[in-house]
């Protein structure tokens, strides 16, 4: 049961192979795993490898949320059979940062999804295992991934669940290399069984030492779903004015601590000023995409329905869109203002009289939108030790 903390003041709180690989899933051990009382986990001294205190694991399973998040908590993609546990998420964190999950020990998930920049990559395309080849899409920010209710992942939504998505880059020939020619996921499982700490960690998380594709997926998904942003300047201000008895829970009033420009940008983002209510697709307060949203018309005749990550920490990104074509928030805002292209997949909210909508914002209004988007930066989550590299070396 998640804990909801009702605070009215500032809260303290890509790119994979299309080939499916299946492994037999053993019957789960239903016994509760034993939590170690020191850094010895099932006979393995974890202090030789990790900076984690295994006798006092970080809290992943029972997070505190600010008052303005309460009505959004149910809008998530966490399945009933993979609820986050502290032991499962800590295993996921270790897997996420371990370069040994690549075929040549060169790349980890964290190589392309870096905590300090909201789990993305500042390069337009990420470098693969050979140090030369690059991915086919820009690395997507992972913050608030749990709140995309539709549950599908990747820019083109080809993975039906986060659990499915997390191992597809591992099996990609460019990204992490365990494709069919290198033995697929079974070769990775064989490799993990030879690494001293993994059988013990899987036993800690799941009750026995069996390492399976399903369990790798579950652990990684648990960790990623815990990456929730709740402490941006937007969040701090919204928590102060939150009122469930007024429209928009109070988001329409001027936020304390915001400049006049930032409040104007918030007004444009959350109303029909300019003809596009951004918040109908990028839902507050998570800024995750509404599950009925379609494409934004990046290219004329576009047929693919692309998704967007949450806009939290969008201001710290260096590249934008699935192909990283824009290099600044100013370019992104100008695209929405004047550059939307007509195509079969275009969202009808971005159309007017059968043509792409034009916002016709003034320069001051465009600047205000950019200023507002920068208030979504959460410095807490990108420096939180519980999401950091756990390895000593």
């Amino acid at each position: 049961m998640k804990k909801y903390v009702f605070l009215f003041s500032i809260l303290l709180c890509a790119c994979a192979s299309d080939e499916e690989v299946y492994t037999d899933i053993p019957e789960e051990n239903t016994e509760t795993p034993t939590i170690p009382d020191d850094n010895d986990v099932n006979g393995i001294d974890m202090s030789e490898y990790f900076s984690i205190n295994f006798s006092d694991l970080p809290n992943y399973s029972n997070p505190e949320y600010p008052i303005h998040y309460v009505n959004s908590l149910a809008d998530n993609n966490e399945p009933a059979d993979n609820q986050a546990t502290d032991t499962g998420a800590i295993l996921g964190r270790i897997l996420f940062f371990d370069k040994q999950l690549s075929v040549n020990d060169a790349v980890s998930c964290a190589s392309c999804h870096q905590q300090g920049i909201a789990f993305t990559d500042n390069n337009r395309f990420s470098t693969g295992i050979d140090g030369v080849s690059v991915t086919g899409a820009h690395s997507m920010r992972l913050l608030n991934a749990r709140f995309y209710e539709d549950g599908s992942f990747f820019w083109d939504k080809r993975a039906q669940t986060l659990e499915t998505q997390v191992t597809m880059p591992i099996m990609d020939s460019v990204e992490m290399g365990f494709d069919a020619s290198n033995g697929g996921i079974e070769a990775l499982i064989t490799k993990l069984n030879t690494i001293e700490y993994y059988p013990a960690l899987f036993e800690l998380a799941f009750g026995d030492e069996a390492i399976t594709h399903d369990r790798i997926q579950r652990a990684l998904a648990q960790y990623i779903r815990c990456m929730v942003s709740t402490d941006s300047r937007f969040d701090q201000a919204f928590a102060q004015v939150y009122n469930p008895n007024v429209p928009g829970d109070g988001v329409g009033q001027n936020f304390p601590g915001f400049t006049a420009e930032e409040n104007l940008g918030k007004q444009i983002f959350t109303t029909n000023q300019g003809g596009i209510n951004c918040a109908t697709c990028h839902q507050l307060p998570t800024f995750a995409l509404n599950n009925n949203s379609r494409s934004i018309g990046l290219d004329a005749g576009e047929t693919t329905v692309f998704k967007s990550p949450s806009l939290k920490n969008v201001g710290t990104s260096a590249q934008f869109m699935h192909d990283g074509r824009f290099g600044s928030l100013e370019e992104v805002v100008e695209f929405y203002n004047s550059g939307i292209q007509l195509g079969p997949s275009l969202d009808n909210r971005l159309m007017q009289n059968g043509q792409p909508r034009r916002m016709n914002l003034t320069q001051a209004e465009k600047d205000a939108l950019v200023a507002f988007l920068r208030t979504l930066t959460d410095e807490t989550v990108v420096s939180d030790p519980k999401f950091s590299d756990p390895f000593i070396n």
Side-chain angles (χ1 to χ4, degrees):
M1 184 71 179
K2 300 290 189 287
K3 185 193 302 179
Y4 306 150
V5 175
F6 298 93
L7 300 178
F8 286 89
S9 58
I10 296 177
L11 172 72
L12 298 176
C13 290
C15 339
S17 166
D18 289 330
E19 182 178 357
E20 297 283 356
V21 180
Y22 298 92
T23 59
D24 292 330
I25 302 172
E27 184 175 342
E28 291 289 338
N29 186 325
T30 58
E31 296 180 3
T32 303
T34 301
I35 305 298
D37 58 6
D38 53 30
N39 279 333
D40 184 286
V41 178
N42 297 317
I44 305 300
D45 183 3
M46 295 297 173
S47 64
E48 295 183 15
Y49 304 103
F50 309 113
S51 58
I52 299 166
N53 181 357
F54 281 87
S55 64
D56 185 21
L57 290 175
N59 176 18
Y60 297 103
S61 59
N62 192 29
E64 297 181 352
Y65 290 97
I67 182 64
H68 64 288
Y69 256 69
V70 169
N71 291 332
S72 300
L73 294 178
D75 300 331
N76 70 76
N77 52 62
E78 185 177 51
D81 63 354
N82 195 31
Q83 302 285 302
T85 64
D86 295 341
T87 54
I90 206 72
L91 171 58
R93 176 179 158 197
I94 291 167
L95 290 165
F96 188 88
F97 281 92
D98 197 341
K99 291 183 178 180
Q100 294 178 100
L101 267 69
S102 63
V103 73
N104 62 351
D105 300 344
V107 171
S108 69
C109 303
S111 299
C112 303
H113 298 279
Q114 301 161 36
Q115 182 188 12
I117 48 175
F119 298 96
T120 183
D121 189 343
N122 274 341
N123 294 316
R124 182 174 182 181
F125 301 110
S126 300
T127 304
I129 53 171
D130 65 3
V132 178
S133 303
V134 296
T135 57
H138 180 58
S139 173
M140 183 179 281
R141 292 185 307 278
L142 298 181
L143 292 183
N144 286 6
R146 72 178 291 114
F147 294 112
Y148 184 52
E149 193 176 4
D150 177 80
S152 54
F153 286 86
F154 289 119
W155 292 100
D156 60 4
K157 303 170 66 172
R158 67 184 181 273
Q160 291 303 303
T161 67
L162 181 56
E163 281 75 8
T164 301
Q165 183 275 330
V166 290
T167 52
M168 290 172 73
I170 296 172
M171 297 183 286
D172 183 78
S173 60
V174 171
E175 293 191 57
M176 299 176 77
F178 278 103
D179 60 1
S181 68
N182 285 315
I185 204 73
E186 285 298 335
L188 172 63
I189 291 170
T190 298
K191 183 178 182 179
L192 295 183
N193 272 304
T194 69
I195 299 171
E196 182 182 41
Y197 47 81
Y198 273 122
L201 289 172
F202 274 82
E203 181 175 2
L204 177 67
F206 296 109
D208 62 60
E209 293 186 351
I211 300 175
T212 68
H213 189 183
D214 176 72
R215 287 178 170 184
I216 295 169
Q217 291 176 318
R218 287 171 180 268
L220 281 167
Q222 285 186 37
Y223 170 66
I224 292 170
R225 284 198 184 94
C226 292
M227 299 173 182
V228 175
S229 163
T230 62
D231 199 29
S232 67
R233 287 182 55 225
F234 169 85
D235 293 301
Q236 294 167 4
F238 196 6
Q240 292 182 67
V241 304
Y242 177 82
N243 184 346
N245 298 315
V246 300
D249 296 332
V251 75
Q253 64 179 289
N254 283 340
F255 274 11
F258 272 32
T259 66
E261 182 180 51
E262 290 165 345
N263 272 312
L264 173 59
K266 177 172 65 68
Q267 176 185 334
I268 296 169
F269 191 94
T270 58
T271 69
N272 282 322
Q273 186 169 340
I276 298 177
N277 185 334
C278 309
T280 62
C281 291
H282 301 283
Q283 300 176 107
L284 276 59
T286 66
F287 293 87
L289 195 67
N290 185 300
N291 63 2
N292 67 4
S293 299
R294 291 175 59 78
S295 284
I296 61 174
L298 282 171
D299 298 301
E302 190 170 80
T303 57
T304 302
V305 177
F306 290 104
K307 67 166 288 188
S308 163
S310 167
L311 297 184
K312 296 303 285 290
N313 284 55
V314 68
T316 64
S317 294
Q319 309 290 335
F320 304 88
M321 307 301 172
H322 68 279
D323 56 4
R325 68 178 64 187
F326 300 135
S328 70
L329 280 177
E330 287 79 5
E331 289 182 75
V332 174
V333 169
E334 186 54 55
F335 163 77
Y336 280 101
N337 183 57
S338 63
I340 297 171
Q341 302 294 304
L342 189 63
S345 64
L346 183 62
D347 194 294
N348 61 10
R349 287 162 287 199
L350 301 180
M351 298 177 65
Q352 185 175 27
N353 299 323
Q355 294 298 315
R357 189 179 291 275
R358 298 292 180 249
M359 294 181 73
N360 298 316
L361 298 176
T362 67
Q363 188 60 51
E365 290 170 330
K366 289 185 283 187
D367 291 343
L369 260 181
V370 170
F372 169 68
L373 290 170
R374 295 193 187 282
T375 71
L376 307 184
T377 299
D378 182 343
E379 299 291 352
T380 300
V381 70
V382 298
S383 60
D384 191 332
K386 77 178 186 180
F387 299 119
S388 67
D389 186 346
F391 286 89
I392 294 175
N393 299 314

